[in-house]
Amino acid sequence: MDVQTELEGDRIARFRQLQNQLRDRWQTIDEFDPGDHDILVVPSLSLDRRELLKIEGVHHYEERNLYSLIRLRNPRTRLIYVTSQPLHPTIVEYYLQLLPGIPFSHARDRLLLFSTYDASPKPLTEKILERPRLIERIRHVLRRDKSYMICFNSTASERDLSVQLDIPLLALNPELLEWGTKSGSRQIFGECNIPHPLGSLSVWTVKDLAIATAELLAKDSNLKRIAIKLNEGFSGKGNAILEVKSLYKIAPEQRVDTICDRFETMNFQAEGETWANFSSRIPELGAIVESYIEGKDKRSPSVQGRILPNGEVEILSTHDQILGGSDQQIFLG
């Protein structure tokens, strides 16, 4: 075993030990953490950078976790919030004025703000990991035996930051990330007999993507369109729509080659996307094919839930998503 692999194994082992401490430090959100806690908020979008750049206004997304400031309603809680660029004082003031019965000055004294002063598109957690002095400053203010960390999404970077700060992370273990991808979700739906569109699991080459598309055509002779999705795309910007009605006229043994040529004609959902760029992402992110659900009146249900440190599953909200774009694939709100 080389040194790098051994260090990685040590980090994973330590992370699991820290996660076991969550049950003692965490209370349900309804109780607003009545104990004496420090909560570190790292609102990093630790996602593929090239896909992130497709999202308009993505640099504002770090502010989405500002709802966490409601935790300052508990007069014994401290919140440490880290951002890429400093938050404007009026934004902080707006959120703190929403706290019922808590003087602004009292809440502000328990809010510690840190910034990397780095506006690059790199995920915030990576920026923090590149700054040992910033990590040391954060570590210095944390009461580590009373702290835990929350984030926008959990990856190996958030795990490594959790270990470096020696505090548990209130998020999933990054080893489970595969189940949150489009392919992983399709596999779960299949194993649980949950109805979902016909399609494939992850493929990693253009040729295999064409083969999966041809196999889907063989399973359903009534398809008009097929959705091609990057496995880790989001907000619909990693999707493309392929018209397939004419492909049924092609002999089955010739379909794969024809489909490879037709990929260039797809309707890409991200503005300015090209087949050259899209196809270059397939070996990096993987892709799936999926039947496009036709119909004028469609719904896109969304459910928000979480698995608590004590093992309970809690449903937070349900709603229909608003989708737009030429093929009703783009998340609008």
Side-chain angles (χ1 to χ4, degrees):
M1 181 183 296
D2 59 45
V3 174
Q4 190 63 36
T5 302
E6 187 173 353
L7 288 174
E8 178 74 4
D10 290 343
R11 281 195 294 267
I12 292 173
R14 180 54 184 158
F15 179 74
R16 290 173 177 166
Q17 291 172 354
L18 289 169
Q19 295 306 84
N20 288 334
Q21 300 174 12
L22 272 174
R23 293 191 182 192
D24 298 330
R25 301 189 189 184
W26 181 88
Q27 301 292 328
T28 64
I29 193 169
D30 292 335
E31 296 175 349
F32 285 92
D33 299 300
D36 187 11
H37 289 303
D38 288 348
I39 303 172
L40 172 64
V41 185
V42 181
S44 176
L45 273 73
S46 297
L47 303 162
D48 184 83
R49 294 181 209 174
R50 287 166 64 183
E51 293 302 302
L52 274 179
L53 292 175
K54 297 176 182 177
I55 308 300
E56 187 175 353
V58 70
H59 57 283
H60 293 297
Y61 272 45
E62 289 180 6
E63 297 176 11
R64 290 175 65 171
N65 282 59
L66 283 170
Y67 70 85
S68 304
L69 269 62
I70 198 172
R71 300 295 188 87
L72 294 172
R73 177 174 139 179
N74 170 25
R76 301 177 65 194
T77 292
R78 297 197 313 163
L79 205 73
I80 297 89
Y81 202 101
V82 190
T83 52
S84 292
Q85 292 280 74
L87 291 170
H88 196 281
T90 57
I91 295 175
V92 177
E93 181 177 345
Y94 169 80
Y95 279 90
L96 293 182
Q97 296 291 358
L98 296 176
L99 298 177
I102 301 295
F104 171 84
S105 59
H106 191 280
R108 185 63 185 85
D109 286 344
R110 292 180 286 111
L111 173 63
L112 293 90
L113 301 175
F114 290 89
S115 173
T116 63
Y117 296 92
D118 182 350
S120 71
K122 184 183 301 183
L124 171 61
T125 307
E126 292 185 22
K127 298 174 186 176
I128 298 172
L129 289 170
E130 292 172 352
R131 291 165 168 81
R133 285 187 293 181
L134 176 58
I135 292 176
E136 189 55 39
R137 288 172 57 209
I138 296 172
R139 191 203 305 267
H140 180 72
V141 301
L142 286 171
R143 296 173 294 178
R144 277 178 281 166
D145 60 333
K146 298 181 178 181
S147 301
Y148 61 83
M149 170 180 155
I150 60 177
C151 59
F152 185 87
N153 67 307
S154 174
T155 69
S157 294
E158 283 68 38
R159 180 201 67 198
D160 290 349
L161 182 58
S162 164
V163 171
Q164 287 202 34
L165 292 171
D166 201 34
I167 62 174
L169 173 66
L170 183 56
L172 90 163
N173 190 321
E175 295 176 10
L176 304 175
L177 280 176
E178 168 60 24
W179 301 112
T181 66
K182 293 175 175 59
S183 177
S185 298
R186 287 186 58 83
Q187 184 175 341
I188 290 174
F189 292 162
E191 293 180 4
C192 296
N193 295 317
I194 297 174
H196 59 288
L198 288 174
S200 73
L201 299 181
S202 288
V203 295
W204 301 91
T205 68
V206 171
K207 182 67 175 292
D208 286 341
L209 187 64
I211 292 172
T213 303
E215 291 174 346
L216 182 53
L217 293 176
K219 292 177 181 177
D220 188 342
S221 59
N222 297 309
L223 292 174
K224 298 177 182 178
R225 290 179 278 185
I226 285 178
I228 308 292
K229 302 180 179 182
L230 293 176
N231 199 27
E232 297 183 35
F234 38 89
S235 294
K237 297 295 181 75
N239 297 2
I241 302 299
L242 176 67
E243 300 281 347
V244 297
K245 287 186 292 183
S246 62
L247 289 172
Y248 288 108
K249 300 176 183 178
I250 307 296
E253 62 273 13
Q254 298 176 343
R255 282 181 185 170
V256 172
D257 290 338
T258 303
I259 291 169
C260 283
D261 295 334
R262 294 282 183 89
F263 282 147
E264 294 188 15
T265 69
M266 291 193 296
N267 186 24
F268 300 101
Q269 303 303 293
E271 186 176 351
E273 181 65 283
T274 64
W275 171 240
N277 181 69
F278 190 95
S279 60
S280 73
R281 309 314 321 277
I282 295 173
E284 300 168 359
L285 303 178
I288 65 166
V289 301
E290 195 169 76
S291 300
Y292 179 87
I293 305 300
E294 304 287 348
K296 293 183 179 179
D297 186 18
K298 294 187 288 188
R299 297 287 183 268
S300 179
S302 177
V303 179
Q304 286 67 51
R306 59 182 180 173
I307 301 174
L308 308 182
N310 61 9
E312 295 179 8
V313 177
E314 183 180 68
I315 300 299
L316 300 177
S317 64
T318 62
H319 56 259
D320 283 338
Q321 298 176 113
I322 301 173
L323 302 181
S326 59
D327 297 297
Q328 299 297 300
Q329 297 280 293
I330 301 300
F331 173 76
L332 300 179

